[in-house]
Amino acid sequence: MTKGDFPFKIKVGFKKLIDQYEVLASSDNDIVAQKAQSILAYAKEDSRLIDGYETLEELSENKVVIEKVTEDLFTSVLEHNEIKFATLPFQEIIFKSTQRFKNIINEAGAEYVPTIQNFDEDHYYIMGCSIILNLYYGFQLDFRRPFYYEIPDERGLIKTYRILYNGDFIELEKTENAKEITDEDVADLLDNFENIDIWKEKFPPHSWIFKGFVIANLIDVTADAAISSFKTFLLNQDSLRPTLTENIEEIFRNLLNLPELKVGFTDFNEEDDTFERMLYKNVKSFILDGKKTQVSREALCDASYYTLFKKNEYYCISDTERYHRLYPENILYKKLLDQNIKSAILVPVVQNGNVIGLLELVSYHSRRLNSIKAHKLRDVMPFLEDAVIRAKEAIENELELIIQEECTSIHKSVHWKFRREAKRYVMAAAQHNPVYFREIVFEDVYPLYGQMDIKGSSTARNTATVLDLKHQLSLIKSIVKSIAKVEKLPIYDQINFRITRYLDDLLVELQVDSERQVLNFLQAEVIPLFAHLRKKDPELKALIDEYYLEVDKSTGLIYKHRKDYDDTVMTINKKMAAILDKKQIEAQKMYPHYYERYKTDGVEHNLYIGESITKKNSFHKVYLYNLRLWQLQAMCEMENQYYKLKEHMAVELDVASMILVFNSSLSLRFRMDEKRFDVDGTYNARYEVVKKRVDKANIKGTDERATQAGKITIIYSQEEDEIEYRRYIGFLQTMKQLDDDLEFLDLEDLQGVTGLKALRISVLYSKGKENAKEYYTYEDLVDSINA
């Protein structure tokens, strides 16, 4: 009669109940005595009522008699009130119950079987043993824990019921297989609650006889369970992330007993006085109704705004349709009704007296949500407010982290030293000592510098500017000619003459103020004239409107070719920086080093490596050599990726790659005022001077730049650097990354910099073709792109 292993052999008996009827049979109350005697007569006829039924079949066959014997335990006047049944401890066997319990089970469906929550077979066995320890041996051990059923109702809502057992009708008997339990055994069991093997050793399966039954009473604790689940859920730091709608919605449905309830949340940005969608896409906002943001007073009506923001109280709308009929101009009622919302509760989430967001509970049925339902929320709102505050703080931390990473990042390789100094600063402040944040310096580090520069970027931008201005002036000239046909005035000839002069000037050369002159001309004369003529003639209006379709509203200028140029430069920078960042992850695994990169007209990067950065006694020059080789390989890959990208760009631009080799170590200091690293000391400053000027250097005795498209230029000053890089070049030539046309160059002297030399070599570009690779020189690649 038990499921799985159990310490008992179970017999359903009613001896203890019948013993009470033995006493009642002598009662002075004739009705009570008569009823007791009839029960005793049943016991005489069937001894199993006392000795116990051993099978479900026996119980079923004697159902009528059992109903009579247990009748007084189930008062008929409470049939539809109490949730009560007769059963066995922790079993699914039920042989007597109230009508209300039957109704609850019927609503759950034919397939539902009452199962105790969070209760497995091992716990089931241990709880059986606990009955023996407490009832038979008298050990006062507190094994009690709450037991629950979760039962769906006819609407699909999960109702939670707590189970209270009455064990007054239980008898226990030992069999010959039962072991005597000592104090030492109990101590052993207390230290090994989860060890089922020890429990089965002390209480072998079916070694005890259970005779009797238990009465179980169920109490509906759905609201309490919902609040408890809500607390548990919100303790999770990620509780307001994408699972909010699915989890919290279910909890609020149970709490308010509304299966159709929908939950939304709207964030409030106090700085901008706007409602905003939460950062997580599936968190619905019924107030915004699809908008990303809206001014708070425009999203709410006056009454709701005052209630939520000034009084910090709930705003209930029990019947949206009715209120909309009464106040048809009310924007909130109309907005909700447009979403078919018939009743709603808006709940302010408040921190220090300030609203930080709104919880939205809505129903598609009128009067389902009202002030009475709102009152139930008071128990859960403090926990929700804590969770929202934590979530907003987490989001703020994420935003700050992004800002630091994107704008003022401190590379993780040197973060440890900043953290150490910050810790010293806090400790000194705690001891009330004078404090200041000391400068961060890394001594004896080796620098590496590289750049991929967009060649002729200034010329390309000027060309784009000229094309835009010429196009705009030509359009205006065409419209002015059309105007002259409608209204023949000498002034139009004069305007046409000025436009021609501007166009002629642009053909010669773009001056520094050419763009400003054209813009002044447009603002002073063309725009007012077009505004006047649009109203005067329909044909001219159509021409002018067509012209304005091409004009950027913010600048008043046509921005087509310059936009193509800007987009191209942005794409180059973004793609090349992404490649470098990705490869840096691999390089950091080889040996930690400082890394930073900048986007200008191209991408440049700084690397610093040395003992003081790693803080471990592990640096060797082999890691410097390895990083230099990695840098050269990375530049080869960036060149390859760029020329794969080139044919898809709106403006055809070339890049030139350069590496600067500095032979000595130097000191790196973090400039607190500028929030960036810089080299330290007068001698080391020479390195920064070379960096800024060297990409413009020419080959000595010529007008040819050292850097060229399709080639990598390695600039150095010491012979040992040349020998080192020739080894790297030889290796990459065997890897088919560099060509065989290595050049040895002397560079012209720069201001304050002399004796520079360069190695220049062509990059081989590859295209994947099935399982083979084909390698191209830069000239081959240009020919294929232009073909």
Side-chain angles (χ1 to χ4, degrees), residues 56 265 366 387 430 464 529 578 619 742:
L56 292 175
F265 189 87
S366 59
L529 177 63
F619 179 73
L742 179 61

Side-chain angles (χ1 to χ4, degrees), residues 257-311:
N257 198 25
L258 292 174
E260 81 282 4
L261 183 76
K262 294 288 184 183
V263 175
F265 189 87
T266 302
D267 199 17
F268 179 64
N269 183 335
E270 186 177 10
E271 186 177 353
D272 298 332
D273 191 27
T274 56
F275 287 130
E276 298 175 353
R277 290 281 303 274
M278 286 196 72
L279 293 182
Y280 312 110
K281 292 183 180 178
N282 74 335
V283 180
K284 174 79 173 174
S285 169
F286 298 101
I287 288 176
L288 291 175
D289 189 22
K291 295 179 181 178
K292 289 185 178 178
T293 183
Q294 190 176 15
V295 175
S296 59
R297 288 184 180 273
E298 295 175 3
L300 299 172
C301 62
D302 291 341
S304 57
Y305 184 88
Y306 179 78
T307 304
L308 294 166
F309 281 84
K310 302 303 180 183
K311 299 174 69 177

